[in-house]
Coordinates of all heavy atoms in Angstrom, one line a residue:
M767 N 124.4 32.9 34.7 CA 123.9 31.6 35.1 C 122.9 31.0 34.1 O 121.9 31.7 33.7 CB 123.3 31.8 36.5 CG 123.2 30.5 37.3 SD 122.9 30.8 39.1 CE 121.1 31.2 39.1
A768 N 123.0 29.8 33.8 CA 122.1 29.1 32.8 C 120.8 28.8 33.5 O 120.6 28.5 34.6 CB 122.8 27.9 32.4
T769 N 119.8 29.1 32.7 CA 118.4 28.8 33.0 C 118.1 27.4 32.9 O 118.4 26.8 31.7 CB 117.4 29.8 32.3 OG1 117.8 31.1 32.4 CG2 116.1 29.6 32.9
V770 N 117.6 26.7 33.8 CA 117.3 25.3 33.6 C 116.0 25.2 33.0 O 114.9 25.7 33.6 CB 117.3 24.6 35.0 CG1 117.0 23.0 34.9 CG2 118.7 24.6 35.7
K771 N 115.9 24.6 31.9 CA 114.6 24.4 31.2 C 114.0 23.1 31.6 O 114.6 22.1 31.6 CB 114.8 24.4 29.6 CG 115.2 25.7 29.0 CD 113.8 26.5 28.7 CE 114.2 27.8 28.0 NZ 113.2 28.6 27.9
R772 N 112.7 23.2 32.1 CA 112.0 22.0 32.5 C 110.8 21.8 31.5 O 109.7 22.0 31.9 CB 111.5 22.3 34.0 CG 112.6 22.8 34.9 CD 113.2 21.8 35.9 NE 112.1 21.3 36.7 CZ 112.4 20.1 37.5 NH1 113.4 19.5 37.2 NH2 111.4 19.7 38.3
Q773 N 111.2 21.4 30.3 CA 110.2 21.2 29.3 C 109.5 19.9 29.6 O 110.1 18.9 29.8 CB 110.8 21.2 27.9 CG 111.5 22.5 27.6 CD 110.5 23.5 27.0 OE1 109.8 23.1 26.1 NE2 110.4 24.6 27.6
R774 N 108.1 19.9 29.4 CA 107.3 18.8 29.4 C 106.4 18.8 28.3 O 106.2 19.9 27.7 CB 106.5 18.8 30.7 CG 107.3 18.6 32.0 CD 107.9 17.2 32.2 NE 108.4 17.0 33.4 CZ 109.8 17.5 33.7 NH1 110.4 18.1 32.8 NH2 110.4 17.3 34.9
S775 N 105.8 17.7 27.8 CA 104.9 17.7 26.8 C 103.4 17.4 27.2 O 103.3 16.5 28.1 CB 105.3 16.9 25.5 OG 106.0 15.8 25.9
C776 N 102.5 18.0 26.6 CA 101.1 17.6 26.9 C 100.8 16.3 26.4 O 101.2 15.9 25.3 CB 100.3 18.8 26.1 SG 98.5 18.3 26.1
I777 N 100.2 15.5 27.3 CA 100.0 14.1 26.9 C 98.8 13.9 25.8 O 98.7 12.9 25.2 CB 99.6 13.2 28.1 CG1 98.3 13.8 28.8 CG2 100.8 13.0 29.0 CD1 97.8 12.7 29.8
A778 N 98.1 15.0 25.7 CA 97.0 14.9 24.6 C 97.5 15.5 23.3 O 97.4 14.7 22.2 CB 95.8 15.8 25.1
C779 N 98.1 16.6 23.2 CA 98.5 17.1 21.9 C 100.0 17.0 21.6 O 100.4 17.4 20.5 CB 97.9 18.5 21.6 SG 98.8 19.8 22.7
G780 N 100.8 16.8 22.6 CA 102.2 16.7 22.4 C 103.0 17.9 22.4 O 104.2 18.0 22.2
R781 N 102.3 19.1 22.6 CA 102.9 20.4 22.6 C 103.9 20.4 23.7 O 103.5 20.1 24.9 CB 101.7 21.5 22.7 CG 102.4 22.9 22.5 CD 101.2 23.8 22.4 NE 100.6 24.2 23.7 CZ 100.9 25.1 24.5 NH1 101.8 26.0 24.2 NH2 100.2 25.3 25.6
Q782 N 105.0 21.0 23.6 CA 106.0 21.1 24.6 C 105.9 22.5 25.2 O 105.7 23.5 24.5 CB 107.4 20.8 24.1 CG 107.6 19.5 23.7 CD 109.1 19.0 23.9 OE1 109.9 19.8 24.0 NE2 109.3 17.6 24.0
A783 N 106.0 22.6 26.5 CA 106.0 23.9 27.2 C 106.8 23.7 28.5 O 107.1 22.6 29.0 CB 104.6 24.3 27.5
D784 N 107.1 24.8 29.1 CA 107.8 24.7 30.4 C 106.8 24.2 31.3 O 105.6 24.5 31.2 CB 108.2 26.2 30.8 CG 109.0 26.2 32.0 OD1 108.5 26.0 33.2 OD2 110.2 26.4 32.0
K785 N 107.3 23.4 32.2 CA 106.3 22.6 33.1 C 105.4 23.6 34.0 O 104.4 23.2 34.3 CB 107.1 21.6 34.1 CG 108.0 22.2 35.2 CD 108.6 21.2 36.0 CE 107.6 20.4 36.8 NZ 108.0 20.2 38.2
V786 N 105.9 24.8 34.3 CA 105.1 25.7 35.1 C 103.8 26.2 34.2 O 102.9 26.7 34.8 CB 105.9 26.9 35.7 CG1 106.9 26.5 36.6 CG2 106.5 27.8 34.5
A787 N 104.0 26.0 32.9 CA 102.9 26.6 32.0 C 101.9 25.4 31.8 O 100.9 25.8 31.2 CB 103.5 27.1 30.7
L788 N 102.2 24.2 32.3 CA 101.2 23.2 32.0 C 100.5 22.8 33.3 O 100.9 23.2 34.4 CB 102.1 22.0 31.6 CG 102.7 22.1 30.1 CD1 103.7 20.9 29.9 CD2 101.8 22.3 29.0
L789 N 99.4 22.1 33.1 CA 98.6 21.6 34.2 C 99.0 20.2 34.6 O 99.1 19.3 33.7 CB 97.1 21.7 33.8 CG 96.6 23.0 33.4 CD1 95.4 22.9 32.5 CD2 96.4 24.0 34.4
R790 N 99.4 20.0 35.8 CA 99.9 18.7 36.2 C 98.8 17.9 37.0 O 98.2 18.4 37.8 CB 101.1 18.9 37.1 CG 101.8 17.5 37.5 CD 103.1 17.9 38.2 NE 103.8 16.6 38.4 CZ 104.0 16.0 39.6 NH1 103.5 16.5 40.7 NH2 104.7 14.9 39.6
I791 N 98.7 16.6 36.5 CA 97.8 15.7 37.2 C 98.7 14.7 37.9 O 99.7 14.3 37.2 CB 96.9 14.9 36.3 CG1 96.3 15.8 35.1 CG2 95.8 14.1 37.0 CD1 95.5 17.0 35.6
V792 N 98.5 14.4 39.1 CA 99.4 13.5 39.8 C 98.7 12.3 40.4 O 97.5 12.4 40.9 CB 100.2 14.2 40.9 CG1 99.3 14.7 42.0 CG2 101.4 13.4 41.4
R793 N 99.3 11.1 40.3 CA 98.9 9.9 41.1 C 99.8 9.8 42.3 O 101.1 9.5 42.1 CB 98.9 8.7 40.2 CG 98.5 7.4 41.0 CD 98.3 6.3 40.1 NE 99.6 5.8 39.4 CZ 100.4 4.9 40.1 NH1 100.2 4.4 41.3 NH2 101.6 4.6 39.4
D794 N 99.3 10.1 43.5 CA 100.2 10.0 44.7 C 100.6 8.5 45.0 O 100.1 7.6 44.4 CB 99.7 10.9 45.8 CG 98.5 10.2 46.6 OD1 98.3 8.9 46.3 OD2 97.7 10.8 47.2
P795 N 101.6 8.4 45.9 CA 102.1 7.1 46.2 C 100.9 6.1 46.8 O 101.0 4.9 46.7 CB 103.1 7.3 47.4 CG 103.6 8.7 47.1 CD 102.4 9.4 46.6
S796 N 99.8 6.6 47.3 CA 98.7 5.8 47.8 C 97.8 5.4 46.5 O 96.9 4.5 46.8 CB 97.9 6.5 48.8 OG 97.1 7.6 48.2
G797 N 98.0 6.0 45.4 CA 97.2 5.6 44.3 C 96.1 6.7 43.9 O 95.4 6.5 43.0
A798 N 95.9 7.7 44.8 CA 94.8 8.7 44.6 C 95.3 9.7 43.4 O 96.5 10.0 43.5 CB 94.6 9.4 45.8
V799 N 94.4 10.0 42.5 CA 94.6 10.8 41.5 C 94.1 12.2 41.7 O 92.9 12.3 42.1 CB 94.2 10.2 40.1 CG1 94.4 11.2 38.9 CG2 94.9 8.9 39.8
A800 N 94.9 13.2 41.5 CA 94.4 14.7 41.8 C 95.0 15.6 40.9 O 96.1 15.4 40.3 CB 94.6 14.9 43.3
F801 N 94.4 16.8 40.8 CA 95.0 17.9 40.1 C 96.1 18.5 41.0 O 95.9 18.6 42.3 CB 94.0 18.9 39.8 CG 94.6 20.2 39.2 CD1 95.4 20.2 38.0 CD2 94.5 21.3 39.9 CE1 95.9 21.3 37.7 CE2 95.1 22.6 39.5 CZ 95.8 22.5 38.3
D802 N 97.3 18.7 40.6 CA 98.3 19.2 41.3 C 98.6 20.7 41.1 O 99.3 21.1 40.1 CB 99.6 18.4 41.1 CG 100.8 18.9 41.8 OD1 100.6 19.6 42.7 OD2 102.0 18.6 41.4
A803 N 98.0 21.5 41.9 CA 98.1 23.0 41.6 C 99.5 23.5 41.9 O 99.9 24.5 41.3 CB 97.1 23.7 42.6
T804 N 100.3 22.8 42.8 CA 101.6 23.4 43.0 C 102.7 22.9 42.0 O 103.7 23.4 41.9 CB 102.2 22.8 44.4 OG1 102.3 21.4 44.4 CG2 101.1 23.1 45.6
G805 N 102.4 21.7 41.2 CA 103.3 21.2 40.4 C 104.4 20.4 40.9 O 105.4 19.9 40.3
R806 N 104.3 20.3 42.3 CA 105.5 19.6 43.1 C 105.0 18.4 43.9 O 105.9 18.0 44.7 CB 106.1 20.7 43.9 CG 107.0 21.6 43.2 CD 107.9 22.4 44.1 NE 107.2 23.3 45.0 CZ 106.9 24.6 44.7 NH1 107.4 25.1 43.5 NH2 106.2 25.3 45.5
A807 N 103.7 18.1 43.8 CA 103.3 16.9 44.6 C 104.1 15.7 44.2 O 104.4 15.4 43.1 CB 101.9 16.7 44.4
P808 N 104.4 14.8 45.2 CA 105.1 13.6 45.0 C 104.2 12.6 44.2 O 103.0 12.6 44.4 CB 105.4 13.1 46.4 CG 104.5 13.7 47.3 CD 104.1 15.0 46.7
G809 N 104.8 11.8 43.4 CA 103.9 10.8 42.7 C 104.2 10.9 41.2 O 105.1 11.6 40.8
R810 N 103.5 10.1 40.5 CA 103.7 10.1 39.0 C 102.8 11.1 38.4 O 101.6 11.1 38.7 CB 103.3 8.7 38.6 CG 103.5 8.4 37.1 CD 103.2 7.1 36.7 NE 103.8 6.9 35.3 CZ 105.0 6.6 35.0 NH1 105.9 6.4 36.0 NH2 105.4 6.6 33.8
G811 N 103.4 12.0 37.7 CA 102.7 13.1 37.1 C 102.6 13.0 35.6 O 103.3 12.4 34.9
A812 N 101.4 13.7 35.1 CA 101.2 13.8 33.7 C 100.8 15.2 33.5 O 100.1 15.9 34.3 CB 100.0 12.9 33.4
Y813 N 101.2 15.7 32.3 CA 100.9 17.1 32.0 C 99.9 17.3 30.8 O 100.0 16.6 29.8 CB 102.2 17.8 31.6 CG 103.1 18.0 32.8 CD1 104.0 16.8 33.0 CD2 103.1 19.0 33.6 CE1 104.9 16.9 34.1 CE2 104.0 19.0 34.7 CZ 104.9 17.9 35.0 OH 105.8 17.9 36.0
V814 N 99.0 18.3 31.0 CA 98.2 18.7 29.8 C 98.3 20.2 29.7 O 98.6 20.9 30.7 CB 96.7 18.2 30.1 CG1 96.5 16.8 30.0 CG2 96.1 18.8 31.3
C815 N 98.0 20.8 28.5 CA 98.2 22.2 28.3 C 96.9 22.9 28.5 O 97.0 24.2 28.6 CB 98.8 22.5 27.0 SG 97.9 22.1 25.6
S816 N 95.8 22.2 28.5 CA 94.6 23.0 28.6 C 93.4 22.1 29.1 O 93.6 20.9 29.1 CB 94.1 23.5 27.2 OG 93.8 22.5 26.3
E817 N 92.3 22.7 29.4 CA 91.1 22.0 29.8 C 90.7 21.0 28.7 O 90.3 19.8 29.0 CB 90.1 23.1 30.0 CG 88.9 22.7 30.6 CD 87.9 23.9 30.7 OE1 88.4 25.1 30.6 OE2 86.7 23.7 30.8
E818 N 90.7 21.4 27.6 CA 90.3 20.7 26.3 C 91.2 19.5 26.2 O 90.8 18.3 26.0 CB 90.4 21.5 25.1 CG 89.4 22.5 24.9 CD 89.6 23.8 25.7 OE1 90.8 23.9 26.1 OE2 88.8 24.5 26.0
C819 N 92.5 19.7 26.4 CA 93.5 18.6 26.3 C 93.2 17.5 27.4 O 93.4 16.3 27.2 CB 94.9 19.0 26.3 SG 95.3 19.6 24.6
F820 N 92.9 18.1 28.7 CA 92.6 17.1 29.7 C 91.4 16.2 29.3 O 91.5 15.0 29.4 CB 92.2 17.9 31.0 CG 91.8 17.0 32.1 CD1 92.7 16.2 32.8 CD2 90.5 16.8 32.5 CE1 92.3 15.3 33.8 CE2 90.0 16.1 33.4 CZ 91.0 15.3 34.1
A821 N 90.4 16.8 28.7 CA 89.2 16.0 28.3 C 89.6 15.0 27.2 O 89.1 13.8 27.2 CB 88.1 16.9 27.9
A822 N 90.4 15.5 26.3 CA 90.8 14.6 25.2 C 91.7 13.5 25.7 O 91.5 12.3 25.3 CB 91.6 15.4 24.2
A823 N 92.6 13.8 26.7 CA 93.4 12.8 27.2 C 92.7 11.7 27.9 O 93.0 10.5 27.9 CB 94.5 13.3 28.1
C824 N 91.6 12.1 28.7 CA 90.7 11.2 29.4 C 90.0 10.3 28.4 O 89.9 9.2 28.5 CB 89.8 11.9 30.2 SG 90.7 12.6 31.7
K825 N 89.4 10.9 27.3 CA 88.6 10.2 26.4 C 89.4 9.2 25.8 O 88.9 8.1 25.5 CB 88.0 11.3 25.4 CG 86.8 10.7 24.6 CD 86.3 11.8 23.8 CE 85.7 13.0 24.5 NZ 85.3 14.1 23.6
R826 N 90.7 9.5 25.4 CA 91.5 8.6 24.6 C 92.4 7.6 25.6 O 93.3 7.0 25.1 CB 92.4 9.3 23.7 CG 91.6 9.8 22.5 CD 92.5 10.4 21.4 NE 92.5 11.9 21.5 CZ 93.6 12.7 21.3 NH1 94.6 12.2 20.8 NH2 93.4 14.0 21.3
K827 N 92.1 7.6 26.9 CA 92.8 6.8 27.9 C 94.2 7.2 28.0 O 95.0 6.4 28.5 CB 92.5 5.3 27.6 CG 91.0 4.9 27.5 CD 90.5 4.8 29.0 CE 89.0 4.4 29.0 NZ 88.4 4.7 30.1
K828 N 94.6 8.4 27.5 CA 96.0 8.7 27.6 C 96.4 9.0 29.0 O 97.5 8.7 29.4 CB 96.2 9.9 26.7 CG 96.4 9.5 25.2 CD 96.9 10.6 24.4 CE 97.0 10.3 22.9 NZ 97.7 11.3 22.1
L829 N 95.5 9.6 29.8 CA 95.7 10.0 31.1 C 95.9 8.6 32.0 O 96.9 8.5 32.8 CB 94.7 10.8 31.7 CG 95.0 11.5 33.0 CD1 96.2 12.4 32.9 CD2 93.9 12.2 33.6
D830 N 95.1 7.7 31.7 CA 95.1 6.4 32.4 C 96.5 5.8 32.2 O 97.2 5.2 33.0 CB 94.0 5.4 32.0 CG 92.7 5.8 32.4 OD1 92.4 7.0 32.8 OD2 91.7 5.1 32.3
R831 N 96.9 5.8 30.9 CA 98.2 5.2 30.5 C 99.3 5.9 31.2 O 100.3 5.3 31.7 CB 98.3 5.1 29.0 CG 97.8 3.8 28.4 CD 98.4 3.6 27.1 NE 98.2 4.6 26.1 CZ 97.1 4.7 25.3 NH1 96.3 3.8 25.4 NH2 96.9 5.7 24.5
A832 N 99.3 7.2 31.0 CA 100.4 8.1 31.6 C 100.5 7.9 33.1 O 101.6 7.9 33.6 CB 100.2 9.5 31.3
L833 N 99.4 7.7 33.8 CA 99.5 7.5 35.2 C 99.5 6.0 35.7 O 99.5 5.8 36.8 CB 98.3 8.3 35.9 CG 98.3 9.8 35.6 CD1 97.1 10.5 36.4 CD2 99.6 10.4 36.3
R834 N 99.3 5.2 34.7 CA 99.2 3.8 35.0 C 98.2 3.4 36.0 O 98.4 2.8 37.0 CB 100.6 3.3 35.4 CG 101.7 3.4 34.4 CD 102.9 2.7 34.7 NE 103.9 3.0 33.7 CZ 105.2 3.0 34.0 NH1 105.6 2.8 35.2 NH2 106.1 3.3 33.0
T835 N 97.0 3.9 35.7 CA 95.9 3.7 36.7 C 94.6 3.7 35.7 O 94.6 4.0 34.7 CB 95.8 4.8 37.8 OG1 94.8 4.4 38.7 CG2 95.6 6.2 37.3
T836 N 93.5 3.7 36.4 CA 92.1 3.8 35.7 C 91.4 4.9 36.5 O 91.2 4.7 37.7 CB 91.4 2.5 35.7 OG1 92.1 1.4 35.1 CG2 90.1 2.6 35.0
L837 N 91.1 6.0 35.8 CA 90.4 7.0 36.4 C 88.9 6.6 36.5 O 88.2 6.4 35.5 CB 90.5 8.3 35.6 CG 91.5 9.3 36.2 CD1 92.8 8.9 36.0 CD2 91.2 10.7 35.6
E838 N 88.3 6.8 37.6 CA 86.8 6.7 37.9 C 86.1 7.9 37.4 O 86.8 9.0 37.5 CB 86.6 6.4 39.3 CG 87.3 5.1 40.0 CD 86.9 3.8 39.3 OE1 85.9 3.7 38.7 OE2 87.8 2.9 39.4
G839 N 84.9 7.8 37.1 CA 84.1 8.8 36.6 C 84.0 10.0 37.6 O 84.3 11.2 37.2
D840 N 83.9 9.8 38.9 CA 83.8 10.9 39.8 C 85.0 11.6 40.0 O 85.1 12.8 40.2 CB 83.2 10.4 41.1 CG 83.9 9.3 41.8 OD1 84.7 8.5 41.0 OD2 83.9 9.1 43.0
V841 N 86.2 10.8 39.9 CA 87.5 11.4 40.1 C 87.8 12.3 38.9 O 88.2 13.4 38.9 CB 88.6 10.3 40.2 CG1 90.0 10.9 40.1 CG2 88.4 9.5 41.4
Y842 N 87.5 11.8 37.7 CA 87.6 12.5 36.5 C 86.8 13.8 36.5 O 87.5 14.9 36.3 CB 87.2 11.7 35.3 CG 86.9 12.5 34.1 CD1 88.1 13.0 33.3 CD2 85.6 12.9 33.6 CE1 87.8 13.8 32.2 CE2 85.4 13.8 32.6 CZ 86.5 14.2 31.9 OH 86.3 15.0 30.8
E843 N 85.6 13.7 37.0 CA 84.9 15.0 37.0 C 85.5 16.1 38.0 O 85.4 17.2 37.8 CB 83.4 14.7 37.4 CG 82.7 14.2 36.2 CD 81.3 13.6 36.6 OE1 80.6 14.2 37.5 OE2 80.8 12.8 35.9
R844 N 85.9 15.6 39.1 CA 86.5 16.5 40.2 C 87.8 17.1 39.6 O 88.0 18.3 39.7 CB 86.8 15.7 41.4 CG 87.4 16.5 42.5 CD 87.5 15.7 43.9 NE 88.0 14.4 43.7 CZ 89.4 14.1 43.8 NH1 90.1 15.1 43.9 NH2 89.8 12.9 43.6
I845 N 88.6 16.3 39.0 CA 89.9 16.9 38.4 C 89.5 17.8 37.3 O 90.1 18.9 37.2 CB 90.8 15.7 38.0 CG1 91.1 14.9 39.2 CG2 92.0 16.3 37.3 CD1 92.0 13.8 38.9
A846 N 88.6 17.4 36.4 CA 88.2 18.2 35.3 C 87.7 19.7 35.8 O 88.1 20.6 35.2 CB 87.0 17.6 34.5
A847 N 87.0 19.7 36.9 CA 86.6 21.0 37.4 C 87.8 21.8 37.9 O 87.8 23.0 37.7 CB 85.6 20.9 38.6
E848 N 88.8 21.1 38.6 CA 89.9 21.8 39.1 C 90.8 22.4 37.9 O 91.3 23.4 37.9 CB 90.7 20.9 40.0 CG 90.0 20.7 41.3 CD 90.6 19.6 42.2 OE1 91.4 18.8 41.6 OE2 90.4 19.6 43.4
V849 N 90.9 21.5 36.9 CA 91.7 21.9 35.6 C 91.1 23.1 35.1 O 91.7 24.0 34.6 CB 91.8 20.7 34.7 CG1 92.3 21.1 33.3 CG2 92.8 19.7 35.3
A850 N 89.7 23.1 34.9 CA 89.0 24.2 34.2 C 89.2 25.4 35.1 O 89.5 26.5 34.5 CB 87.5 23.8 34.2
A851 N 89.1 25.4 36.5 CA 89.4 26.6 37.3 C 90.8 27.1 37.2 O 91.0 28.3 37.0 CB 89.0 26.2 38.6
A852 N 91.8 26.1 37.1 CA 93.2 26.6 37.0 C 93.5 27.1 35.7 O 94.2 28.2 35.6 CB 94.1 25.3 37.3
A853 N 92.9 26.6 34.6 CA 93.1 27.1 33.2 C 92.6 28.5 33.2 O 93.2 29.4 32.4 CB 92.5 26.2 32.2
R854 N 91.5 28.7 33.8 CA 90.8 30.1 33.8 C 91.7 31.2 34.5 O 91.8 32.2 34.0 CB 89.5 30.1 34.3 CG 88.4 29.8 33.3 CD 87.0 30.1 33.8 NE 86.6 29.3 35.0 CZ 86.0 28.2 34.8 NH1 85.8 27.7 33.7 NH2 85.7 27.5 36.0
T855 N 92.2 30.8 35.6 CA 93.0 31.7 36.4 C 94.4 32.0 35.8 O 95.0 33.0 36.0 CB 93.1 31.3 38.0 OG1 93.6 30.0 38.0 CG2 91.8 31.4 38.6
A856 N 94.9 31.0 35.1 CA 96.2 31.0 34.6 C 96.2 31.9 33.4 O 97.3 32.5 33.0 CB 96.6 29.6 34.1
R857 N 95.1 32.3 32.7 CA 95.2 33.1 31.6 C 94.5 34.4 31.8 O 93.9 34.8 32.8 CB 94.5 32.4 30.5 CG 95.5 31.7 29.6 CD 95.1 30.4 29.0 NE 96.0 29.4 29.5 CZ 96.0 28.1 29.2 NH1 95.1 27.7 28.3 NH2 96.8 27.2 29.6
Ligands
ZN693 ZN1 97.7 19.9 24.8

């Protein structure tokens, strides 16, 4: 049986990896942006490979563009904390 490859690229550095190895940020149908720990939340998703890339993507507005929204400072800080925690437990 063939393995289905679900490759995604990090929006900050462009590195490709299996989607389960990346950190997913999602904008849900209501417009709220959150870190998606399950990788399966409905909505428009964007992937980063690390905490550093999340910060870089935010700084360069790549996350805003990928999600077609504008991240507020408090939302950014909340997601950054979740991404940092997830990045630590994943390794
Ligand atoms: Zn990256």
Side-chain angles (χ1 to χ4, degrees):
M767 202 164 73
T769 310
V770 179
K771 286 271 183 194
R772 314 253 296 162
Q773 297 277 303
R774 293 290 186 278
S775 33
C776 170
I777 59 167
C779 69
R781 188 168 75 91
Q782 292 209 339
D784 191 281
K785 70 180 292 228
V786 298
L788 295 169
L789 303 158
R790 184 170 189 253
I791 317 300
V792 68
R793 178 171 65 87
D794 75 15
S796 76
V799 179
F801 170 63
D802 175 17
T804 67
R806 284 194 293 266
R810 186 175 188 84
Y813 295 86
V814 292
C815 66
S816 67
E817 189 181 342
E818 290 76 17
C819 280
F820 173 76
C824 288
K825 201 177 293 174
R826 286 185 261 149
K827 301 285 177 200
K828 286 190 173 187
L829 193 62
D830 290 18
R831 269 203 298 276
L833 298 176
R834 298 190 187 149
T835 187
T836 302
L837 254 77
E838 304 296 338
D840 57 337
V841 174
Y842 163 76
E843 281 173 29
R844 181 168 48 83
I845 298 172
E848 289 172 337
V849 164
R854 269 194 299 273
T855 54
R857 265 143 239 185

